[in-house]
Amino acid sequence: MIQRTWERAKLAATLDHVVVATDDEKIAECCQGFGAEVIMTSESCRNGTERCNETLQKLGKKYDIVVNIQGDEPLIEPEIIDGIVNALQAAPDTVFSTAVTSLKPEDAFDPNRVKCVVDSRGYAIYFSRGLIPYNKSGKVNPQFPYLLLGIQSYDSKFLKIYPELEPTPLQLEEDLEQLKVLENGYKMKVIKFDHETHGVDTPEDVDKIEQFMRERNLS
């Protein structure tokens, strides 16, 4: 799964450098086996954003933007990666960009599927593991375009600041690292894509991904 995610990431036109960041020796050995560059990070990283920051420091090279692609996205589309990089470059008032897509009704109340609401100018308002917006009926509105959170990118200068910011109440309650960004007053650009997401959040998702790939003859 990580190999395929890595291979898809390398197809993105905007990425100059692709590495696997992990604190697990077994994962590192596996990734080195298929040719990936691996950066070992500490177990003290509390989330992917902090792991990206540590990786950037260890690389010792200067980059304007860092993209956090989770290793459980084997069908990630390269154009989505390019889209969030371009969006961040085009919005100097933001420090963070993320991709969203349509949320499937059956995933509406799944806490592993992070939802997003966006303002009229394309900036993030809030992220939640619960269904947002939530109407009075307590049911999914089939007419409403709910949004599902995807990959994200950061301005490299902000990435160094992020670990120094104290954890925030909403971040801790929802266990979502993006909320610390919003709670500290920073702006986040959100780009919408029509691509269907296929992340692996539970063991059951592996079977779904494999079935999807068999049906489409994807190797």
Side-chain angles (χ1 to χ4, degrees):
M1 181 168 62
I2 297 176
Q3 179 176 356
R4 183 172 176 87
T5 303
W6 174 77
E7 290 171 349
R8 298 293 292 170
K10 287 180 72 67
L11 296 175
T14 55
L15 300 186
D16 298 316
H17 198 170
V18 178
V19 302
V20 175
T22 182
D23 60 7
D24 188 294
E25 292 286 354
K26 290 183 179 179
I27 291 176
E29 184 178 347
C30 172
C31 294
Q32 288 167 341
F34 59 73
E37 179 181 351
V38 177
I39 299 294
M40 294 301 298
T41 57
S42 64
E43 295 181 2
S44 63
C45 293
R46 292 170 290 188
N47 51 51
T49 304
E50 292 190 4
R51 196 174 305 282
C52 283
N53 176 58
E54 183 177 338
T55 301
L56 180 62
Q57 307 315 312
K58 288 191 172 182
L59 280 171
K61 297 179 181 179
K62 191 172 183 179
Y63 295 99
D64 295 327
I65 291 174
V66 175
V67 183
N68 179 6
I69 304 167
Q70 306 255 359
D72 60 0
E73 292 281 353
L75 299 178
I76 185 72
E77 296 287 350
E79 54 262 43
I80 293 179
I81 299 172
D82 292 334
I84 65 168
V85 170
N86 292 332
L88 189 55
Q89 290 175 326
D93 60 340
T94 63
V95 298
F96 196 118
S97 66
T98 188
V100 295
T101 189
S102 298
L103 176 70
K104 297 178 184 176
E106 61 267 29
D107 292 333
F109 296 101
D110 183 347
N112 293 306
R113 304 293 196 253
V114 178
K115 296 81 177 177
C116 175
V117 286
V118 183
D119 70 15
S120 60
R121 297 182 300 158
Y123 294 100
I125 297 175
Y126 193 69
F127 300 93
S128 180
R129 294 187 182 278
L131 181 63
I132 52 172
Y134 191 77
N135 59 58
K136 290 182 179 179
S137 74
K139 299 178 181 178
V140 176
N141 178 359
Q143 305 304 316
F144 191 88
Y146 300 101
L147 299 176
L148 176 68
L149 179 66
I151 67 169
Q152 50 212 7
S153 69
Y154 326 94
D155 176 89
S156 60
K157 295 185 182 67
F158 171 74
L159 192 57
K160 296 176 183 178
I161 296 172
Y162 182 90
E164 299 173 2
L165 300 174
E166 290 295 322
T168 52
L170 296 175
Q171 174 204 2
L172 294 173
E173 184 64 20
E174 293 260 18
D175 189 22
L176 292 175
E177 61 205 89
Q178 300 86 356
L179 291 176
K180 185 166 75 166
V181 181
L182 296 182
E183 285 183 89
N184 277 282
Y186 293 98
K187 287 188 176 182
M188 299 172 59
K189 193 69 174 177
V190 179
I191 307 301
K192 299 178 184 178
F193 288 92
D194 293 329
H195 293 292
E196 190 173 350
T197 59
H198 299 280
V200 179
D201 297 309
T202 66
E204 292 74 22
D205 289 336
V206 175
D207 293 334
K208 294 179 184 178
I209 290 283
E210 291 178 343
Q211 178 64 27
F212 180 88
M213 293 179 69
R214 282 194 295 269
E215 291 173 353
R216 289 160 179 76
N217 293 317
L218 300 174
S219 57

